[in-house]
Every structure is written in structure tokens, then in C-alpha cells.
Amino acid sequence: MISALSFRLTKRFGTRTVLDEFALEVHGGEFVTFLGPSGCGKSTALNLLAGLIPATSGEIRLDGSPIDHLPPERRGFGMVFQNYALFPHLTVFDNVAFGLALRARPRAEIAQRVRRMLQLVRLTEFEARYPSQLSGGQQQRVAIARALAVEPRLLLLDEPLSNLDAKLRLEMRSELKRLHADLRLTSIYVTHDQSEALSLSDRVVVLRDGRVMQVGTPAEIHDRPRTRFVADFMGYRNFFPVTVDRIEPGGLVVARGKDVTLTGRPVTPLAPGSAAVAAVRPEDVELTAELAGPNVVRGTVRLTEYLGREHDVEVALDSGTMVMARVERPVEVGSAVGLRLPSERVVVLPAGDGA
Ligand SMILES: Nc1ncnc2c1ncn2[C@@H]1O[C@H](COP(=O)(O)OP(=O)(O)OP(=O)(O)O)[C@@H](O)[C@H]1O
Ligand SMILES: [Mg+2]
């Protein structure tokens, strides 16, 4: 197993900078996810690491040694692409055996290893089928088995679940989680789906326009986004422009906006008088019988959407500001409600940090 992969990469296509000094150290056995919107450079970063395209400048080191000069096949990495990229004219068995056959391993060893991989992804009975005879999820599992078969030092996965329907995605997500728990293979995973990133990763790297916005554990990124961009990506839907009023002894910030005075957790030190944004997730907003008080706003229900177990509710405050809440009991459109924004769930971000 590798003990570290570190890189610092810049990539330009023409005059356009797609990755700008993207630097990271990935530890052996770690599962790291690159998370960001379409076009932020996630696939480009994976392709650079795999050696499929050259960097404009920078360096990749594996256990301390530069590997930039190595062609893809000599890096010893496994790659799973978004579109599976299986060989249509080869059976499942031969697809998985492909990399091993290239390395001219003995037949018996290949057969043993392929069967072990098919067992791992639970496709043992499918070895004689062709890709066209498999479901999307099964094809994706073949692609994963193929990448694992060569015992890669590093596994690179580019949105491997994005072509699957919602149910299969969840199943395959658990499958990937199980595989990583079993094999502890150092893995870099690319996605624009925050729930995938949170559920699979040891660490998440949030990218925007080829730059790192934040690196942290799923809990850090989720509970302490440092910018509005990251908060937005993590499902914060309510953003109140506020001015910092004072800092409480426990470190909480009291901030005043046009709709409400909120107490919340600052993600960076904020001076009284500074402009900030208070962010809250709909899931953290609570219905309350109170119509005024600390961290309480009142308004009129404009829209409700039944989700099966919960209801998404849009509430218009008197000022016109809309607040989104996800609540467990139904409320009627047109009714007046009080909403509590619990202070431990209100994140106070510096204003004007982008997005
Ligand atoms: N070969 C290329 N020539 C020119 N521009 C490119 C090339 N490959 C990628 N780009 C541009 O680089 C940017 C980053 O692309 P990349 O494929 O890395 O994004 P991504 O984050 O993987 O997006 P998605 O989530 O849509 O897959 C995009 O603006 C893309 O248009
Ligand atoms: Mg991509």
C-alpha cells in the first residue's frame, strides 16, 4: 500500500486556467473526494493524476518520488470512468482479466484473480455474459472489478455512479463503501453529489473553478462550511445578510439582519460591525408556537411540498424574504407560523467571500 500521494497541479487549456495550483496530500488508505459543480476541473484533475493528459506545470509524488514522467500504465493506478468504458466484444470475465492479460500473467493466476474480483463485486454468475447483457449497475461493478484486478496502488473513480438510477446509486454507494472498508485501497473519487461525498469519504475537497475552496472531513464541511459557496453546496438554503453586533462569551456571534437578530456559530473570527451572512439548512429550521423571540422569525406559509415523511415548506417573512424549512408535521398554505433557527445550527460566514 502507498503511504502518500501528493501533488500540486496547474492545467491550462489555451489561455483558460482549469486547475490553478491544485495541491493536496492524500494519505495511504484514505478515501478522498473531489466535490464541485460541473466544469470546476474534477475530471481534469483525475486525468492528470492518471497520466492521461499532461499538466501545464506542477508535480505528482508517490511516496515521495515524482511520477510525472511515467505513462499511465506504469503508474499502477486503477481508473473507473463515468461511462464504464467496458469492452463490448469481451465477456465480463475477459473485461476483468484485460489488465492482467496485458501484464502477461499466467492463465491460472489470472483466472483466480478474476474470480476473486467478481466475487468481491458479487457478479460471479455473470462471468460469461457480455456488457450489453448487463444492467447499468452490473456494468459499473464490472468496471470496478476491472480496475481492482490489477491491484492498483491508487484507485481513481470519476463519477462512477452518475449513470445509474436513484435506487442503484444508493446500492452501489454502499457497495463502494464496503469495498473500501474491506480493501482500504487509497482512493480518489470525483462527484458533484454532496450526499455521495459525505457518505463515502474520509476527506472531501470542495473545488470551484479549479481552486480548492475547503478541505475537511465530511462533518467539518457539512457543519462548518467556511464560505457561502461551500455552504450552498452542502445544502444550506437560507442566507440572511447580517451585521455582526457582538461576540458572546462562549464564542457565539449575535448578528442583526433586516428580518431577525440571530445568534450563531462563526466559522472564522468576525469583528463587531463587520458584514456577514447567517446560513441555515431547511432541515434545521423548526416550527415553533412562538411568533417572536431570539432566533425566531414569523411569516406566512406560501408553499408546501409533501416528501413522504417530511414536508418542505416555503415561508414568506413580512419583509418578503423567503425561508425554506423541512418539517415533520403538515402546515397549511396561508397560515402564519413561527420558525426557530437554532443558534447551534446557524452558521455565520464572512460576507463577500465569493458566490
Ligand atoms: N481538452 C480540453 N480542451 C479545452 N477545454 C477543456 C478540455 N477538457 C476540459 N476542458 C474544460 O475544462 C474545464 C474543466 O473540465 P472538467 O471536465 O475537468 O470538469 P468537471 O469538473 O469534471 O465537470 P463535470 O462535473 O461536468 O464532469 C471545463 O470548463 C472544460 O470545458
Ligand atoms: Mg467530469
Side-chain angles (χ1 to χ4, degrees), residues 13 16 18 36-45 82 159 192:
F13 288 111
R16 190 141 179 261
V18 170
S38 184
C40 73
K42 305 180 297 292
S43 295
T44 303
Q82 178 175 341
E159 309 223 25
H192 57 258

Side-chain angles (χ1 to χ4, degrees), residues 115-187:
R115 301 226 154 88
R116 162 99 188 90
M117 290 302 113
L118 289 177
Q119 214 173 13
L120 207 58
V121 298
R122 307 174 201 225
L123 281 179
T124 302
E125 318 89 275
F126 294 85
E127 65 168 59
R129 294 222 200 159
Y130 288 88
S132 62
Q133 300 169 316
L134 299 176
S135 73
Q138 289 162 346
Q139 290 182 46
Q140 192 54 281
R141 269 141 69 194
V142 176
I144 292 167
R146 184 179 59 183
L148 293 174
V150 295
E151 298 184 61
R153 299 194 276 183
L154 176 72
L155 186 61
L156 303 169
L157 305 116
D158 192 356
E159 309 223 25
L161 309 185
S162 60
N163 285 348
L164 307 178
D165 66 41
K167 184 166 172 283
L168 254 183
R169 273 177 94 114
L170 285 181
E171 280 174 29
M172 280 302 296
R173 192 166 97 183
S174 312
E175 200 90 341
L176 284 174
K177 188 128 189 119
R178 183 181 59 81
L179 277 175
H180 188 251
D182 285 355
L183 306 173
R184 283 283 139 200
L185 196 60
T186 313
S187 307

